[in-house]
Amino acid sequence: MSFEFTPQEQTRVQLAHLGGVQLDPIGHADLAVIAVLSSVYFVNFAAVAFLVWNRNYPPLKSKYPFLMAAIMISMFIYFLGDLVLKAHVHVRGRVLSNCMLFCVWMRVIFGAYMVSVLTTIRSYALFCIFLCNRAFRGKYACCAAAIATVLAIVFVVVTYTMPGAQTVRYVPLIEMCSMSYAYRAVVQGLLWLVWIINAAINFKLRNITSSFNESREMFVACAAVFTLLAFNTVILYTHPLYPTNMALRITETLCSHVIANFLWWFIMFRSMYNCAIRRDAYLAEWKDKLVRDGLQKQYQIARTDPFSVTVVSVASSNVAKLVSLPRGMVTDHDGFDARTSFSRHSMVSDRTPHMKHAEDGLWRPESARQHTNPAFLFSPHSPHPVEQSSSTSTVNDSTAPLTRYDFPFPPKSA
């Protein structure tokens, strides 16, 4: 495939001119776009390989690595479809002139639509976790996948029931694929619908207390994509033959893929960079921030104490295990704690009547938690003295009677 102004390319330009079309030949500017974007996607696939390899690293796992990998693959398929639809390459031969394959299946269904719907599913996953307090699996994941599949099937049915001249067709005179006005409306309408749904979900997520800016990430994604959709829609109807204009086709292609790649890296860069450069340090910071923001449950991280409260454990028939819980992690009988709620609008009425026990102190006796959550341990205000307790004891200033158990007592605070 040549990017020089060959006699064959000159003939194509002249034939287009006779048909009333001003056609810019395929040249080195198109080759530069292909080279630059191909290099970008080569780097992207290396990043996807790194992401999948480190998929169990908690900060990356919270970003849905397989979903983000699928989005990147769809972006690349979208790029391949763009090369044909926008005539960055010579659309000749049996394969490249198959406009239905490249423009409908690759550019729209497995390209633009798939990127849009997977991004929307990611927003829905955050909605399930942060607002519905449900893991994104089972019926929730199946429901999202089913809706996305039904929309794609409807689009395919509409495509193949419309007359051929009203969808995508190959124009031999200028060696290009062309979409009808009606079919452009169908394609743009589908994309606008998906991103409006995405925006509605993200509007619901606007008040979540997010440790790592999930709501901000998706807000930026929606704003950028709506700008791109508006630009594309205007170009499609004001310059229906924009692929014949070199400046327009290059601008449209670069805008589409620069924005798409920016959104992907805007979501993934921080976690991937820290995973590669400062893996252990960032993981510790990440977990500590989750604890401070009360989002351990949402990110499926075990509750830990960022302030290093000593944990004393004894295996004895006379003394039960001791667990030290920071006061900020005391929960009620149902495991609910308003301070670890994920919504800024958590209602006080959601707290159970048993929450009054959380005000009594950090420790509770074994007898007081026969029917309670194990998070309640011995209280320093309990009427039972340490010496008479046969089940659970506390680590406080009265440690002398417990020295026979050989506890690893922490140093007394000043």
Side-chain angles (χ1 to χ4, degrees):
M1 182 174 291
S2 175
F3 290 91
E4 302 291 339
F5 191 58
T6 61
Q8 187 176 9
E9 182 67 5
Q10 184 177 3
T11 301
R12 186 174 79 99
V13 172
Q14 291 173 349
L15 289 175
H17 182 71
L18 291 176
V21 177
Q22 184 65 38
L23 176 62
D24 292 338
I26 297 172
H28 293 96
D30 297 284
L31 178 60
V33 170
I34 296 173
V36 169
L37 291 180
S38 297
S39 301
V40 169
Y41 281 107
F42 177 80
V43 174
N44 288 347
F45 280 122
V48 167
F50 176 84
L51 172 62
V52 173
W53 181 262
N54 293 277
R55 62 188 179 276
N56 292 321
Y57 182 62
L60 290 180
K61 188 176 181 180
S62 69
K63 300 292 185 182
Y64 299 96
F66 287 112
L67 196 62
M68 296 305 296
I71 290 175
M72 180 57 70
I73 293 172
S74 297
M75 286 165 52
F76 180 70
I77 296 175
Y78 177 49
F79 168 62
L80 295 179
D82 261 354
L83 295 182
V84 172
L85 178 64
K86 297 171 185 175
H88 291 293
V89 296
H90 295 283
V91 185
R92 300 169 184 159
R94 185 175 181 181
V95 176
L96 291 180
S97 62
N98 188 339
C99 297
M100 190 65 71
L101 171 64
F102 280 92
C103 299
V104 176
W105 285 99
M106 294 181 66
R107 185 181 185 271
V108 179
I109 297 176
F110 290 105
Y113 173 75
M114 192 62 68
V115 171
S116 302
V117 80
L118 290 177
T119 308
T120 303
I121 288 175
R122 185 178 186 274
S123 297
Y124 177 67
L126 297 176
F127 176 84
C128 291
I129 293 171
F130 285 95
L131 293 187
C132 299
N133 197 22
R134 295 289 186 272
F136 182 66
R137 57 174 179 264
K139 62 180 181 181
Y140 297 96
C142 291
C143 179
I147 293 174
T149 303
V150 168
L151 282 175
I153 291 174
V154 170
F155 175 78
V156 171
V157 170
V158 170
T159 298
Y160 281 93
T161 54
M162 291 177 68
Q166 293 297 316
T167 55
V168 180
R169 59 195 176 107
Y170 181 65
V171 183
L173 180 66
I174 57 177
E175 298 179 347
M176 287 177 54
C177 293
S178 176
M179 279 188 183
S180 69
Y181 282 98
Y183 195 67
R184 295 179 193 203
V186 172
V187 173
Q188 292 301 108
L190 176 66
L191 298 179
W192 276 101
L193 173 63
V194 174
W195 280 99
I196 287 173
I197 295 172
N198 196 338
I201 295 173
N202 284 287
F203 181 78
K204 293 286 187 180
L205 292 171
R206 69 191 186 281
N207 289 323
I208 65 173
T209 303
S210 174
S211 287
F212 302 101
N213 303 313
E214 285 85 355
S215 58
R216 188 184 69 177
E217 291 171 355
M218 300 314 296
F219 171 79
V220 172
C222 287
V225 170
F226 278 125
T227 302
L228 179 61
L229 279 175
F231 174 74
N232 287 346
T233 304
V234 170
I235 291 295
L236 284 172
Y237 285 95
T238 59
H239 297 81
L241 291 177
Y242 73 92
T244 62
N245 185 299
M246 180 180 291
L248 283 179
R249 70 174 177 251
I250 289 177
T251 300
E252 213 280 343
T253 300
L254 288 178
C255 286
S256 298
H257 293 278
V258 166
I259 289 179
N261 281 275
F262 164 75
L263 295 181
W264 196 91
W265 283 103
F266 183 74
I267 295 172
M268 298 303 304
F269 177 77
R270 182 178 180 182
S271 297
M272 293 183 67
Y273 172 81
N274 284 286
C275 177
I277 303 300
R278 45 194 302 272
R279 185 184 183 96
D280 295 333
Y282 181 67
L283 179 60
E285 295 171 5
W286 188 83
K287 289 186 176 182
D288 286 351
K289 196 172 192 319
L290 286 184
V291 173
R292 290 196 301 271
D293 289 352
L295 294 173
Q296 307 96 315
K297 181 177 181 181
Q298 285 75 7
Y299 286 90
Q300 300 179 354
I301 299 297
R303 288 189 171 187
T304 57
D305 180 14
F307 303 104
S308 301
V309 175
T310 303
V311 176
V312 181
S313 178
V314 177
S316 172
S317 59
N318 297 324
V319 181
K321 291 182 178 180
L322 297 178
V323 180
S324 176
L325 292 179
R327 187 177 299 275
M329 294 185 184
V330 176
T331 62
D332 65 296
H333 294 245
D334 295 326
F336 178 87
D337 183 2
R339 287 162 292 192
T340 61
S341 176
F342 44 83
S343 174
R344 295 175 182 170
H345 299 302
S346 298
M347 300 300 294
V348 177
S349 58
D350 290 338
R351 299 174 61 174
T352 64
H354 303 290
M355 279 296 289
K356 63 179 180 288
H357 295 297
E359 309 298 332
D360 294 341
L362 182 58
W363 304 95
R364 287 204 166 266
E366 178 72 16
S367 60
R369 57 187 179 97
Q370 294 176 353
H371 304 287
T372 65
N373 190 298
F376 296 100
L377 301 179
F378 188 83
S379 171
H381 304 294
S382 173
H384 303 286
V386 173
E387 295 85 344
Q388 298 175 2
S389 175
S390 61
S391 56
T392 303
S393 301
T394 184
V395 179
N396 54 24
D397 293 335
S398 302
T399 57
L402 300 178
T403 54
R404 63 183 181 276
Y405 295 118
D406 194 24
F407 287 164
F409 292 113
K412 297 181 180 180
S413 57

